[in-house]
Amino acid sequence: MSKRALITGITGQDGSYLAEHLLDLGYEVYGLVRGQANPRKGRLSQLMKDLSFVGGDMMDQGSLVAALDAVQPDEVYNLAAISFVPLSWSQAELVSEINGTGVLRILEAIRIVSGLSTSRTATGGQIRFYQASSSEMFGEVAESPQHEATPFHPRSPYGVAKSFGHFITRNYRESYGLYAVSGMLFNHESPRRGLEFVTRKITCGAVNIKLGQQEKLLLGNMAAQRDWGYAGDYVQAMHMMLQQPEPRDYVIGTGRTHTVEDVARIAFEAVGLDWRDYVVIDPGLVRPAEVDTLCANPAKAQAELGWRPTVSFEELIQMMVDSDLSHTTKEQQYGHLQLAAAW
Ligand code: G4F
């Protein structure tokens, strides 16, 4: 019999890649979707006709119990989050509710439908749970590169909320014997990345400028360093983590670090331009507290999961530029390309 997976956050970049991967592996895939007429759901179901959907909201405990009860999944992947870090300063409470307390709600729902008592030692249950933890938890890094035991020092309300989600996942594993794990994923990008994130903002901006649809590209801190990989590789690690004999947390990244300036140089070169002629620094885009540098040590994931990234940084940026070029030249399929200039 095929396994059944429930994905929260299925309409996002990672949710769409993970859904495709699990369908390829023969899973029945359900997506948790919020709202009566979720506009992003339509886009996804056109892409993957084999998906099923169930209603539910990370802010509503009862709806999560009902969704789990209806789907009876073998595996739950919690990818639901407000993922744009700057929003977490202007909507700190909402981000804490969804990215932090939301994790507690879905773990509670798993505990309840698995019949696990809070008053005595419990022995698990059948559902396996994956939590999307983030390298933002390392924040002002205590050491470099960062590994599973590196202490956290989050620099944004987003990072603080993700740290809560990480620790509550570990706590439910230790309290109730749940098979519950966290993937501490470093930045991962793709042609499906939202326009507000710096890589896609730059690849879209370079393409727009090349086509004469935009004059300048406004950016913030170009010295920031990140360990950027390809999202399609990273969702495979999520699945691998739930197939292990013991539930363990893993750092997932490439172990290579580049600057925002490197992204701009490669993206503009790919369309035959020099970034220095078009990029303007906007102090308004600099964050109240910045994460200056992140670099993964993925040795544990490589040794225990056999996971390895397959796409280099240079290939990733080229892939994103190529995709933006093809979307733009194909009758402006993305009417929202101009938005890239605004974030
Ligand atoms: O692309 P970003 O917005 O990604 P960020 O903040 O690193 O977060 C992403 O990765 C995390 C994993 O570490 C996830 F948890 C999170 O959900 C998200 O997916 O910014 C990357 C860097 C930052 O240092 C930022 O200050 O780029 C710098 N940057 C410079 N100019 C800019 C801009 N970022 C954005 N978004 N827009 C700019 O104009």
Side-chain angles (χ1 to χ4, degrees):
M1 216 173 70
S2 59
K3 279 195 193 172
R4 195 173 296 161
L6 175 65
I7 304 174
T8 75
I10 195 167
T11 58
Q13 168 190 260
D14 293 3
S16 70
Y17 280 111
L18 179 63
E20 282 174 354
H21 182 53
L22 296 179
L23 287 172
D24 283 347
L25 294 173
Y27 276 67
E28 272 180 68
V29 180
Y30 285 76
L32 185 87
V33 285
R34 185 169 54 96
Q36 246 182 312
N38 188 321
R40 301 175 78 186
K41 178 183 149 191
R43 205 178 63 193
L44 196 67
S45 54
Q46 280 173 4
L47 204 65
M48 286 170 275
K49 296 186 179 53
D50 299 329
L51 290 179
S52 304
F53 296 100
V54 62
D57 193 315
M58 298 304 289
M59 304 273 276
D60 180 348
Q61 177 75 78
S63 76
L64 297 177
V65 174
L68 284 167
D69 214 24
V71 174
Q72 298 283 320
D74 300 290
E75 297 173 5
V76 174
Y77 294 86
N78 184 36
L79 312 186
I82 294 177
S83 57
F84 188 46
V85 173
L87 201 73
S88 75
W89 280 282
S90 56
Q91 299 186 20
E93 188 180 345
L94 180 66
V95 168
S96 303
E97 273 293 329
I98 293 172
N99 297 10
T101 315
V103 187
L104 171 61
R105 289 192 192 98
I106 193 145
L107 284 164
E108 262 298 276
I110 291 174
R111 185 189 66 74
I112 291 166
V113 300
S114 303
L116 301 173
S117 163
T118 55
S119 60
R120 59 186 152 74
T121 309
T123 52
Q126 299 305 312
I127 300 175
R128 295 190 168 201
F129 176 76
Y130 172 86
Q131 166 57 17
S133 285
S134 163
S135 56
E136 273 289 305
M137 301 183 305
F138 297 119
E140 187 155 301
V141 295
E143 59 182 330
S144 208
Q146 296 82 53
H147 55 91
E148 288 77 5
T150 300
F152 296 165
H153 183 157
R155 296 272 285 166
S156 59
Y158 170 95
V160 173
K162 281 284 179 183
S163 301
F164 174 82
H166 184 82
F167 284 123
I168 200 70
T169 300
R170 181 187 296 178
N171 179 259
Y172 269 57
R173 178 166 79 219
E174 293 172 357
S175 300
Y176 304 115
L178 283 186
Y179 192 112
V181 302
S182 289
M184 301 149 91
L185 268 51
F186 284 62
N187 297 50
H188 43 286
E189 321 291 310
S190 76
R192 298 182 196 169
R193 191 57 147 150
L195 291 162
E196 63 273 41
F197 298 94
V198 79
T199 52
R200 186 82 197 290
K201 178 175 175 178
I202 292 174
T203 61
C204 254
V207 166
N208 276 345
I209 289 170
K210 177 69 179 177
L211 299 176
Q213 294 165 2
Q214 186 176 323
E215 287 182 2
K216 295 286 175 199
L217 178 62
L218 301 181
L219 291 175
N221 176 15
M222 293 196 71
Q225 298 179 322
R226 290 290 184 277
D227 178 336
W228 279 290
Y230 171 52
D233 286 338
Y234 287 43
V235 300
Q236 297 195 13
M238 298 176 188
H239 175 255
M240 288 170 168
M241 281 182 221
L242 292 196
Q243 315 312 312
Q244 302 308 305
E246 296 296 328
R248 294 201 178 117
D249 302 332
Y250 293 93
V251 156
I252 301 295
T254 70
R256 290 182 65 209
T257 290
H258 295 90
T259 60
V260 172
E261 186 178 312
D262 292 333
V263 179
R265 181 177 46 75
I266 294 171
F268 277 82
E269 269 175 21
V271 294
L273 299 175
D274 185 333
W275 69 272
R276 289 168 295 192
D277 296 332
Y278 303 98
V279 170
V280 175
I281 301 302
D282 177 354
L285 291 168
V286 176
R287 299 175 182 187
E290 175 66 291
V291 172
D292 294 322
T293 182
L294 289 172
C295 183
N297 175 354
K300 184 177 163 191
Q302 290 180 357
E304 296 183 11
L305 306 177
W307 179 84
R308 273 182 180 70
T310 66
V311 177
S312 73
F313 172 73
E314 292 77 10
E315 289 167 342
L316 174 64
I317 302 304
Q318 184 69 53
M319 177 201 301
M320 293 171 71
V321 170
D322 289 345
S323 168
D324 284 332
L325 270 172
S326 74
H327 284 129
T328 308
T329 48
K330 274 191 215 152
E331 299 151 10
Q332 296 286 316
Q333 282 176 26
Y334 282 3
H336 56 257
L337 273 178
Q338 288 296 339
L339 269 177
W343 286 95

